[in-house]
Amino acid sequence: MAEHRNGNAKPSDGKASGAASPYAINLDNFTKRLKTLYSHWKEHSSDLWGSSDALAIPTPPASDDLRYLKSSALNIWLLGYEFPETIMVFMKKQIHFLCSQKKVSLLEVVRKSAKEAVGVEVVMHVKAKNDNGTGLMDAIFRAVRANSTSHDTPVVGHIAREAPEGKLLETWTEKLKNADFQLSDITNGFSDLFAVKDSTELTNVKKAAFLTSSVMKHFVVPKLEKVIDEEKKISHSSLMDDTEKAILEPARVKVKLKAENVDICYPPIFQSGGEFDLRPSASSNDENLYYDSTSVIICAIGSRYNSYCSNVARTFLIDANAMQSKAYEVLLKAHEAAIGALKPGNKVGAAYQAALAVVEKDAPDLVSNLTKSAGTGIGLEFRESGLNLNAKNDRVLKAGMVFNVSLGFQNLQTDTNNPKTQKFSVLLADSVIVGEKGPEVVTSISSKAVKDVAYSFNEDDEEEEEEKPKVKPEANGGEAVSSKATLRSDNQEMSKEELRRQHQAELARQKNEETARRLAGGGSGAGDNRGAVKSTGDLVAYKNVNDVPPPKELMIQVDQKNEAILLPIYGSMVPFHVATVKSVSSQQDTNRTCYIRIIFNVPGTPFNPHDSNSVKFQGSIYLKEVSFRSKDPRHISEVVQLIKTLRRQVASRESERAERATLVTQEKLQVAGTRFKPIRLSDLWIRPSFGGRGRKLTGTLEAHTNGFRYSTSRPDERVDIMFGNIKHAFFQPAEKEMITLLHFHLLNHIMVGNRKTKDVQFFVEVMDVVQTLGGGKRSAYDPDEIEEEQRERDRRNKINMDFQNFVNRVNDLWGQPQFKGLDLEFDQPLRELGFHGVPHKASAFIVPTSSCLVELVETPFLVITLSEIEIVNLERVGMGQKNFDMTIVFKDFKRDVLRIDSIPSSSLDGIKEWLDATDLKYYESRLNLNWRPILKTITDDPEKFIEDGGWEFLNLEVSDSDSDNSQESDQGYEPSDVQSDTGSEDEDDDSESLVESEDDDGEDSEEDSEEEQGKTWEELEREASNADREKGDESDSEEERKRRKMKAFGKARGRGAPEKRSSGGRSTGGSLPKRHKMR
């Protein structure tokens, strides 16, 4: 099994010896399983192990082919890795390994464990590169003879069915046959040894089964439905390739398994069109998928996790006739009976007999078409020998065994007019664990119920047959049928939008219930997030008067050591701490006289309201400012510059100290020892940068025992990131960007240089940003241009690969038991779901991940955790709008909403589909809402909010239907020349919008000008001002009036009930702005 095939790193690679940690053998597993091997060998020596004195297991070289070997299975089961071109010989007192020096260095760690576990000595035979190994083999044969006590001719057990591959194994096999040994086949011993899985193995099987069934449910079924729905032509082999990619990339089906630990059991099998083969060795041909009426589609997929296999197979029926429906229903019942018989104590053959009994009872005519077996055992091998579920197998079932229960009817005939559907087969397969209390179907999330696999196309046409003449079907799948496939259990056609609307309605109900529970429990107060600022009274320049330096002359002096300014006042030098200085400035008049003005921080000023001095020294008198005159302009400018520099340094230091005072204390980094080198990634830049005026340097990121450390060649430039402080980790390879990056979003702030941050990013530029100054365009066929592009591609691919290797190794580290509680894994953005928007000030490409919404290229970064989102409101959504905005409301109502502006309308459907798929409730509105008063209304009176329907006040469809039922609703389309009978449009309710649209203003002014022609703008302004004065609103600014309108509208929508007032003899206003009539 090759490295990429079995998902386990092999020490045969030259890189193995340089990094011990990724290839460390799990000694606990080794000890436990070595004991199991020796006790099983001792207990079943005669019946299963052929009374062998020694067990010789040679492992062949690595191969890219999919194959299942007992020798490879033993390697993985015992050592955790496959060791190609290695010979293992187990004796009663010794274990011999014959392999290369690199493999020996990895195997050295098992010496002590083997001695403690079963009392055997481990002997290593190092094979040199150019040595054929014959001398080492002779030494092993001598040890076999020396350890054999019960026979004159030692019995050596070997796996007879495995043919030797490679020079080493061919030499070994030849010498073994010619030696004076009796050979015995021990295949059955290993089959029985591997049959019962321990808890670690069962966990691997369950993970593999979860991936397999998830791919079937979330990829294969939707893919088939889309192909049939859109009547596409796609070959079985293309479906096979697409499904294999989905298995090898678990993130595509939202399965959080590491891709490097995953592989396929066999190429996925798709069959249709009358050609069926129910054997696992079948393959997908190049014929197109056939989905006409009465056709059958069989799909079988298998995946492996850490080399442990799982399998699932499903049959899909298209407009099935009575014969096909009956065959599937009987098969389903028989399949369930076979699974039900897998109980500890039963015989293995009981499963097939239970299935056969069902078929004989319900459909005796189908017995001859039933497969001769109900499946096989499954684990490290896809088909474990000795555990075939046929009627003759008398082995006893034990808890911990795992089976691939596969049952089918083959070569069935049905009466149809289409030769491609006359012959069909049906197949079902599931992975089942034999538990203490009964069987556990670990692939059950992929449904096999009739309603979920039987599709109907013609139900919608039956009602129309009486009214419309029948259309003659075209050849090869051109029937006049409904273009949308539906489940047989559905009674009507359902579009994606309708399904999404139904799901959103259910999410709205769940969201309102969740919000009600959370608000009923009460929330924590906002609190004051400001850190404690050091008060002026705590600042001390000199502790003792004797510390003040003696004055040389009565001139302003700056004491940088003690951070003080000495001012000559009434003949004495009076010290002031530089932190008390608010500003300093100088000025020169025409007589070359210079003035210096120093203004101090005084308690009670607008910019210093929280200074504790106002309380601590209530009766004190403060100096606000001083001015000095000098004839020496050079000295004055020098003093001003020194004071400003010192003040800036002290302010920066105090600010950093205040920032650090609010930091959560982190655990100390445990640096990896010299024995295990840390996982390292070099030549990285960091954001935010360390600052400083020196030249910026690249650094190295290292993964240690409990965290990361980034450091440059400068000793003061170092950042530690603890694993326990990481909330999200992202890896974004460069595709259309200029950088490849690793990004960490933290739980608590840390200091990077003198900056406090929750986001730390490490990146490499994949190509140099250069501009050709040569002028003219270069030809696309220019060899230099082509070579340069190729170099850029190679550089980008190398950088991406280096980052990927680092990520994979860190993911392996995070998979260890001590980090399970942190639930850490690098997340990768899903570019195909991305969209452009403006989260801060500049447009950026925003991309979802499995758990977040991120923008990691432009600063400031955007990281939004999906689980923290309450609802999403899509604003400015309407016909004719080129852009819309996305407002994200968080579960913490005291947190400001986040708005992403200017998203292209072309991304609307994709965003809706993504939000719906991630179970996020979204609403749509035509205008931007003022969310602060809305959230304040909710937190002030949560009971009222829940009584009024919760978030449903945002539901545009409900609000529209309410306004349509109201008295002032539009009666239909009115030509533009006809005036509305209900009054002028400019008398609508104040709550019509939160933002006055320019279009509305234009219409209002147009109507005003039509009603009162001849009035100038000045006259209109004067009349409006007089009207305001009469109402007493003159003092209110336009901003204040608009704010009150927005607040009134927010409350009106929050209550959900229309507020009506009389204006000109008609009722206006409502919970939503009334739509303008078409003019």
Side-chain angles (χ1 to χ4, degrees):
M1 286 182 249
E3 180 173 349
H4 69 278
R5 282 297 181 192
N6 62 29
N8 287 283
K10 296 187 302 302
S12 60
D13 192 350
K15 299 178 183 177
S17 62
S21 55
Y23 308 109
I25 294 172
N26 187 325
L27 295 180
D28 291 337
N29 273 347
F30 174 79
T31 301
K32 180 173 65 176
R33 292 177 182 174
L34 189 65
K35 286 180 180 178
T36 305
L37 170 62
Y38 271 83
S39 62
H40 193 277
W41 182 12
K42 182 178 180 181
E43 184 179 351
H44 302 280
S45 176
S46 58
D47 56 334
L48 294 175
W49 297 97
S51 301
S52 300
D53 296 306
L55 311 178
I57 316 297
T59 308
S63 170
D64 287 337
D65 296 332
L66 277 169
R67 59 182 184 178
Y68 297 96
L69 303 174
K70 283 278 189 296
S71 56
S72 298
L74 177 65
N75 275 239
I76 295 165
W77 181 79
L78 186 61
L79 301 168
Y81 304 100
E82 183 181 359
F83 284 73
E85 294 190 281
T86 299
I87 298 172
M88 294 187 292
V89 180
F90 297 88
M91 306 174 200
K92 298 297 170 65
K93 299 293 183 182
Q94 290 181 335
I95 302 176
H96 290 254
F97 290 95
L98 193 161
C99 53
S100 66
Q101 177 61 55
K102 292 177 181 177
K103 299 189 187 80
V104 167
S105 63
L106 291 171
L107 292 168
E108 285 289 345
V109 295
V110 305
R111 287 183 184 274
K112 183 178 178 182
S113 299
K115 191 72 174 175
E116 293 174 352
V118 290
V120 298
E121 177 190 358
V122 174
V123 181
M124 301 291 182
H125 302 271
V126 181
K127 175 186 166 297
K129 188 173 183 181
N130 298 322
D131 184 12
N132 62 5
T134 53
L136 302 174
M137 295 175 191
D138 290 336
I140 295 175
F141 291 164
R142 287 194 295 272
V144 170
R145 293 187 182 95
N147 278 271
S148 175
T149 55
S150 57
H151 300 280
D152 295 333
T153 303
V155 179
V156 176
H158 72 125
I159 303 170
R161 297 180 184 177
E162 291 189 10
E165 297 180 30
K167 290 184 178 179
L168 179 68
L169 267 65
E170 288 174 356
T171 304
W172 168 263
T173 305
E174 187 65 30
K175 286 184 71 65
L176 189 64
K177 287 180 180 177
N178 296 332
D180 187 20
F181 294 142
Q182 180 183 340
L183 299 182
S184 175
D185 186 11
I186 54 173
T187 302
N188 291 338
F190 282 119
S191 296
D192 196 69
L193 178 67
F194 296 151
V196 178
K197 277 73 175 172
D198 60 29
S199 58
T200 305
E201 294 178 285
L202 292 179
T203 300
N204 287 329
V205 169
K206 288 178 180 179
K207 288 182 177 181
F210 182 72
L211 173 61
T212 306
S213 48
S214 295
V215 170
M216 179 66 80
K217 180 179 180 180
H218 299 300
F219 180 81
V220 172
V221 172
K223 179 84 172 177
L224 291 176
E225 287 178 348
K226 184 177 181 182
V227 167
I228 299 172
D229 176 28
E230 298 175 3
E231 299 183 5
K232 290 183 178 179
K233 290 185 178 180
I234 186 170
S235 66
H236 297 133
S237 55
S238 296
L239 286 169
M240 174 192 73
D241 293 336
D242 292 344
T243 306
E244 182 173 336
K245 290 177 183 176
I247 294 173
L248 298 177
E249 298 174 25
R252 293 178 63 178
V253 288
K254 299 178 182 177
V255 174
K256 292 184 177 181
L257 293 177
K258 299 168 190 172
E260 65 271 19
N261 291 341
V262 169
D263 198 3
I264 57 172
C265 289
Y266 55 86
I269 300 171
F270 288 86
Q271 301 177 93
S272 65
E275 296 182 12
F276 298 98
D277 183 355
L278 302 188
R279 294 174 298 175
S281 58
S283 60
S284 303
N285 59 32
D286 293 327
E287 295 294 323
N288 284 341
L289 185 72
Y290 197 79
Y291 45 81
D292 285 0
S293 183
T294 67
S295 61
V296 172
I297 301 171
I298 290 179
C299 172
I301 57 176
S303 71
R304 291 192 286 172
Y305 181 79
N306 282 342
S307 299
Y308 284 84
C309 301
S310 66
N311 187 53
V312 68
R314 295 291 180 260
T315 300
F316 302 99
L317 309 175
I318 313 298
D319 286 325
N321 58 24
M323 168 67 177
Q324 291 169 331
S325 297
K326 181 183 177 182
Y328 184 82
E329 289 167 2
V330 172
L331 177 65
L332 179 61
K333 191 174 178 181
H335 192 251
E336 291 294 345
I339 293 173
L342 295 176
K343 297 177 181 177
N346 286 357
K347 291 186 177 180
V348 173
Y352 185 78
Q353 291 168 355
L356 182 62
V358 170
V359 178
E360 288 175 340
K361 179 183 176 183
D362 295 349
D365 52 322
L366 300 181
V367 170
S368 60
N369 302 96
L370 186 66
T371 51
K372 304 305 178 187
S373 165
T376 60
I378 191 170
L380 287 167
E381 299 173 277
F382 184 72
R383 285 177 285 184
E384 292 186 334
S385 56
L387 292 178
N388 202 346
L389 294 176
N390 56 33
K392 300 177 181 178
N393 198 332
D394 292 333
R395 291 185 64 175
V396 177
L397 292 168
K398 298 176 184 177
M401 289 183 171
V402 185
F403 290 92
N404 167 35
V405 183
S406 178
L407 199 66
F409 291 123
Q410 50 194 353
N411 300 325
L412 296 176
Q413 299 283 340
T414 184
D415 294 330
T416 64
N417 297 326
N418 193 333
K420 284 201 170 187
T421 61
Q422 288 176 356
K423 189 176 178 182
F424 73 97
S425 298
V426 286
L427 176 68
L428 286 175
D430 276 301
S431 299
V432 182
I433 295 175
V434 180
E436 294 285 355
K437 299 179 181 179
E440 178 187 356
V441 182
V442 287
T443 50
S444 58
I445 64 171
S446 173
S447 176
K448 56 188 174 185
V450 176
K451 67 182 182 65
D452 293 325
V453 299
Y455 291 78
S456 175
F457 288 89
N458 296 322
E459 290 177 355
D460 297 332
D461 296 340
E462 291 173 358
E463 298 176 0
E464 301 176 6
E465 286 181 355
E466 298 178 2
E467 301 176 9
K468 294 184 180 181
K470 292 185 178 179
V471 181
K472 184 178 179 180
E474 301 173 7
N476 195 19
E479 287 88 353
V481 297
S482 170
S483 64
K484 191 74 176 176
T486 62
L487 293 177
R488 182 173 286 277
S489 60
D490 296 339
N491 294 323
Q492 58 183 4
E493 199 173 303
M494 200 171 293
S495 67
K496 282 185 181 178
E497 185 62 35
E498 288 168 342
L499 289 170
R500 196 159 63 204
R501 192 176 290 116
Q502 286 186 7
H503 187 216
Q504 284 292 309
E506 176 62 20
L507 285 178
R509 183 187 64 77
Q510 295 175 5
K511 180 57 64 180
N512 284 331
E513 291 176 357
E514 177 195 328
T515 306
R517 287 194 301 270
R518 198 169 67 251
L519 291 175
S524 59
D528 190 359
N529 294 326
R530 286 175 298 200
V533 180
K534 197 171 185 179
S535 68
T536 311
D538 296 329
L539 298 171
V540 176
Y542 302 101
K543 294 182 180 180
N544 193 300
V545 69
N546 296 324
D547 295 336
V548 179
K552 297 177 182 178
E553 53 183 322
L554 291 177
M555 294 178 63
I556 299 175
Q557 297 178 27
V558 178
D559 185 354
Q560 295 190 1
K561 180 180 178 182
N562 294 294
E563 300 172 353
I565 306 168
L566 300 170
L567 303 179
I569 301 176
Y570 294 114
S572 299
M573 299 302 289
V574 180
F576 294 85
H577 195 284
V578 75
T580 62
V581 176
K582 183 178 181 182
S583 64
V584 58
S585 59
S586 63
Q587 190 176 359
Q588 186 174 353
D589 62 14
T590 55
N591 297 326
R592 296 184 59 79
T593 302
C594 292
Y595 297 89
I596 181 170
R597 184 185 184 194
I598 303 174
I599 302 175
F600 295 96
N601 289 313
V602 178
T605 56
F607 296 101
N608 201 15
H610 296 289
D611 198 317
S612 61
N613 287 305
S614 56
V615 178
K616 190 174 180 181
F617 305 110
Q618 292 184 5
S620 300
I621 297 174
Y622 290 87
L623 182 65
K624 187 174 182 181
E625 67 174 87
V626 292
S627 296
F628 293 90
R629 184 178 60 189
S630 173
K631 289 289 186 180
D632 186 356
R634 186 182 59 81
H635 174 67
I636 290 295
S637 62
E638 184 180 333
V639 166
V640 168
Q641 188 63 37
L642 284 172
I643 293 174
K644 285 184 175 180
T645 302
L646 184 58
R647 181 175 168 273
R648 185 166 55 244
Q649 290 173 353
V650 172
S652 175
R653 189 193 66 215
E654 293 299 324
S655 174
E656 183 178 343
R657 184 181 297 170
E659 292 283 6
R660 290 185 183 277
T662 61
L663 294 177
V664 176
T665 304
Q666 303 288 332
E667 60 181 315
K668 191 174 181 180
L669 183 74
Q670 298 175 16
V671 180
T674 55
R675 183 178 178 186
F676 298 107
K677 292 183 180 179
I679 307 168
R680 181 179 284 117
L681 196 57
S682 304
D683 298 326
L684 302 180
W685 300 98
I686 185 173
R687 289 196 289 186
S689 60
F690 287 109
R693 298 188 177 184
R695 186 172 64 90
K696 292 181 174 60
L697 302 175
T698 59
T700 300
L701 181 66
E702 297 177 341
H704 291 275
T705 307
N706 64 335
F708 295 103
R709 168 166 287 177
Y710 174 83
S711 58
T712 70
S713 57
R714 295 193 182 106
D716 58 328
E717 293 186 348
R718 191 170 74 184
V719 176
D720 291 345
I721 303 173
M722 299 299 108
F723 294 155
N725 192 31
I726 297 174
K727 186 176 183 181
H728 300 293
F730 304 101
F731 162 51
Q732 182 169 307
E735 292 185 19
K736 296 183 180 179
E737 299 84 12
M738 302 290 290
I739 61 174
T740 295
L741 61 88
L742 299 178
H743 188 98
F744 299 102
H745 184 65
L746 308 178
L747 293 167
N748 300 305
H749 291 85
I750 64 170
M751 298 298 293
V752 177
N754 57 1
R755 299 185 188 180
K756 181 179 174 184
T757 183
K758 263 192 177 182
D759 288 280
V760 184
Q761 184 177 109
F762 307 99
F763 67 96
V764 171
E765 294 180 351
V766 296
M767 60 181 72
D768 298 325
V769 183
V770 295
Q771 183 176 2
T772 304
L773 301 177
K777 291 180 65 176
R778 297 170 69 175
S779 169
Y781 302 101
D782 184 354
D784 294 337
E785 182 81 3
I786 295 171
E787 185 179 351
E788 185 178 334
E789 290 178 358
Q790 184 60 43
R791 277 199 304 270
E792 288 181 353
R793 277 194 297 269
D794 293 343
R795 172 176 163 81
R796 183 175 64 243
N797 292 338
K798 182 182 183 304
I799 290 172
N800 287 347
M801 186 59 66
D802 290 343
F803 272 70
Q804 183 69 65
N805 291 338
F806 179 84
V807 166
N808 292 344
R809 294 174 66 186
V810 172
N811 278 337
D812 288 339
L813 179 64
W814 284 344
Q816 294 178 6
Q818 63 266 36
F819 300 120
K820 288 292 185 185
L822 300 179
D823 192 24
L824 289 175
E825 189 170 11
F826 276 98
D827 209 349
Q828 195 162 329
L830 307 170
R831 290 190 58 88
E832 59 273 15
L833 300 178
F835 56 90
H836 289 276
V838 183
H840 300 293
K841 292 183 179 179
S843 179
F845 189 62
I846 302 162
V847 193
T849 71
S850 60
S851 59
C852 295
L853 183 66
V854 301
E855 191 285 303
L856 305 175
V857 177
E858 303 293 336
T859 53
F861 305 120
L862 177 73
V863 179
I864 303 169
T865 306
L866 300 184
S867 60
E868 295 176 359
I869 296 177
E870 174 76 4
I871 59 155
V872 175
N873 194 44
L874 307 176
E875 302 179 347
R876 293 196 303 115
V877 175
M879 297 296 290
Q881 293 281 1
K882 291 184 179 179
N883 301 301
F884 68 96
D885 305 328
M886 176 194 289
T887 299
I888 296 172
V889 181
F890 297 98
K891 292 179 179 177
D892 180 5
F893 290 159
K894 290 182 169 53
R895 182 177 172 185
D896 284 340
V897 300
L898 185 134
R899 176 174 284 140
I900 301 174
D901 298 322
S902 303
I903 304 172
S905 295
S906 57
S907 302
L908 181 61
D909 284 341
I911 290 175
K912 285 183 182 178
E913 192 167 338
W914 166 68
L915 290 171
D916 191 63
T918 50
D919 291 338
L920 284 174
K921 176 59 186 167
Y922 67 84
Y923 294 93
E924 298 179 42
S925 64
R926 295 186 182 86
L927 303 168
N928 291 118
L929 304 183
N930 189 2
W931 281 96
R932 284 193 178 179
I934 292 175
L935 295 180
K936 188 176 185 304
T937 303
I938 294 172
T939 52
D940 288 348
D941 193 356
E943 295 178 359
K944 177 69 173 172
F945 169 70
I946 299 303
E947 288 174 7
D948 291 340
W951 293 109
E952 285 305 289
F953 75 91
L954 293 169
N955 194 332
L956 197 63
E957 295 176 4
V958 173
S959 302
D960 284 348
S961 64
D962 291 343
S963 62
D964 289 343
N965 294 332
S966 64
Q967 294 179 357
E968 69 267 16
S969 64
D970 297 338
Q971 299 299 320
Y973 169 76
E974 294 184 13
S976 58
D977 293 338
V978 179
Q979 291 288 341
S980 171
D981 295 332
T982 60
S984 63
E985 292 288 345
D986 61 331
E987 292 177 1
D988 281 345
D989 189 7
D990 286 344
S991 65
E992 180 172 52
S993 69
L994 293 181
V995 181
E996 303 289 336
S997 72
E998 294 177 3
D999 295 339
D1000 292 347
D1001 292 342
E1003 290 177 8
D1004 293 346
S1005 61
E1006 191 175 323
E1007 291 175 6
D1008 290 342
S1009 64
E1010 288 176 3
E1011 291 173 5
E1012 304 180 26
Q1013 291 187 15
K1015 291 184 179 181
T1016 65
W1017 282 109
E1018 289 78 6
E1019 291 170 338
L1020 292 171
E1021 284 289 331
R1022 199 179 301 115
E1023 288 179 7
S1025 181
N1026 292 335
D1028 288 343
R1029 195 177 296 110
E1030 290 173 5
K1031 295 178 181 179
D1033 292 338
E1034 180 64 17
S1035 61
D1036 290 349
S1037 65
E1038 180 65 21
E1039 185 175 322
E1040 283 293 314
R1041 289 198 294 274
K1042 187 177 291 187
R1043 187 179 61 80
R1044 285 200 305 274
K1045 287 168 68 178
M1046 289 191 280
K1047 187 172 181 180
F1049 177 57
K1051 289 185 177 180
R1053 289 186 63 125
R1055 290 191 296 269
E1059 295 179 2
K1060 300 186 179 180
R1061 61 179 175 83
S1062 176
S1063 177
R1066 69 181 180 93
S1067 174
T1068 63
S1071 60
L1072 268 178
K1074 187 169 75 67
R1075 291 181 179 177
H1076 287 295
K1077 294 183 175 65
M1078 297 183 67
R1079 307 185 61 79

